[in-house]
Amino acid sequence: MATTMASKDPRVSADPTEGLSLGGQPASHRLRDVRETTKSLVDHVLDTTEYRELTADRGREIVTDVTAECVALAADVLDSGIQPAAEDLASLRRTAAKWARAGVPLAPIQHAFHEGFSVGLRMVAGSAVDGEHAALVDGAVLMFGLLDVVSEAVSSAYLDEYKAVAVQGHDQAHAVVTALLAGESHAGAVAERHGTELADGYEVLAVHFPPHPDETGVPSSRETAAGRKLQSILVALSDFCAPALPLAILSPSGGTILIPDATPTTAGSLVARLSEAGGVPVFAAAATASPARIPDAADNVYELLRLVLRLGYRPDVYRISDLALEFQIARPGVGRRHLKKILDPLRRIPDLLPTLEAFVSTEANRKKAATQLVVHPNTVDYRLKRIEQITGIDPMKSSGLRSLHAALIADSLDPEKSV
């Protein structure tokens, strides 16, 4: 928080009763024509930013008001040698809070302030004549001090408001998502109370975020890296859902996301965005449901996600249509036990089971399987023939390959195996 303070720099000799002079005039004289000075600064600042929230009509009006206020503050500081008190910066803090609520990024705001102060300093320095080096330095020190005070006030007010909005948004989203996942009959009322209207349908996503490469070392560093990953993902999610409130409950390892009125490609686009933001491959399972069916859909997508992770499938968005075979085989019963037994004879002979797994994973491409196994394709042919002889099932036939693929899935889902 900025406080009233006279400069302690011995080079700043401005007397509050006389003010700082340059070229035989008060150093502030170029700034006292507030209207003309403000116009020049605003034109320059807005020419150096492409951020629409600042350059649009309403944004320009706000920037003009802020610039005029900073010009007046600068003139007073040059005349008095004293930086403004906290109460003198209240208006700037309120404006910064408005920018935070409107979602204007802090970076272009800070850039605008620095650009404005740079041009203002050049205006002041333009009045200097030969032999006024010391006075020019004094003026620069005062202007830089003001920039520091203003930047601190604006940044702290922005971040305080941003944190407050983020916490409120998190609480609102948590309440709505919790009500929908619980199947509560008053979920609509909960959403309305938090300023959200329920959609007719939702894409229900179960997502998994693997550890980031930085999540290593001692627990404290792992937690810091995990928090950083989650924050990046949350920002990307907010940007993707804007201006709507993102409906999600997430932790560093994953969670649930509800996407209202999604198109068939929405889930894939969102997962790609989250993966890029978090720096990790994102696994997801998705299903479409009405608000009343969200609890059942959530149960199903989490089971699908567990299958994907258990089977070691690649990162992607999976639906029941992609995993119907795996989903069915995962049901305990006689069929699953029978499938598992098909592979038992192959376990006694080295290389046969890995060869079958490679052949299936390469979609029955013997050359790709040979490359994966680092053997000659003829070796793959020989091993596949041995698999047929032992099991009675020909992996070179589509019907046989389906049976053996199902057996591999059943084997991977064996509860005795580690996840």
Side-chain angles (χ1 to χ4, degrees), residues 357-376:
E357 290 171 344
F359 190 62
V360 169
S361 69
T362 58
E363 299 181 344
N365 187 312
R366 52 187 287 278
K367 290 185 178 180
K368 287 184 178 180
T371 300
Q372 183 174 314
L373 295 165
V374 197
V375 298
H376 193 279

Side-chain angles (χ1 to χ4, degrees), residues 14 36 44 48 51 53-54 81 89 101 110 112 137 152 161 185 226 230 234 243-244 309 333 353 413:
E36 186 60 31
H44 175 83
T48 63
Y51 198 75
E53 292 293 337
L54 297 179
L89 303 171
R101 289 194 295 273
Q110 292 174 323
V137 170
E152 191 281 332
E161 186 65 22
S185 58
L230 178 59
L234 290 174
L309 298 176
L353 203 53
L413 295 173

Side-chain angles (χ1 to χ4, degrees), residues 167-209:
V167 169
Q168 181 183 22
H170 177 271
D171 292 343
Q172 290 175 347
H174 193 281
V176 175
V177 175
T178 299
L180 288 169
L181 290 175
E184 296 177 0
S185 58
H186 64 285
V190 173
E192 184 176 356
R193 186 164 64 249
H194 291 293
T196 301
E197 183 177 351
L198 293 186
D200 293 333
Y202 288 87
E203 192 81 281
V204 183
L205 261 68
V207 293
H208 171 67
F209 310 135

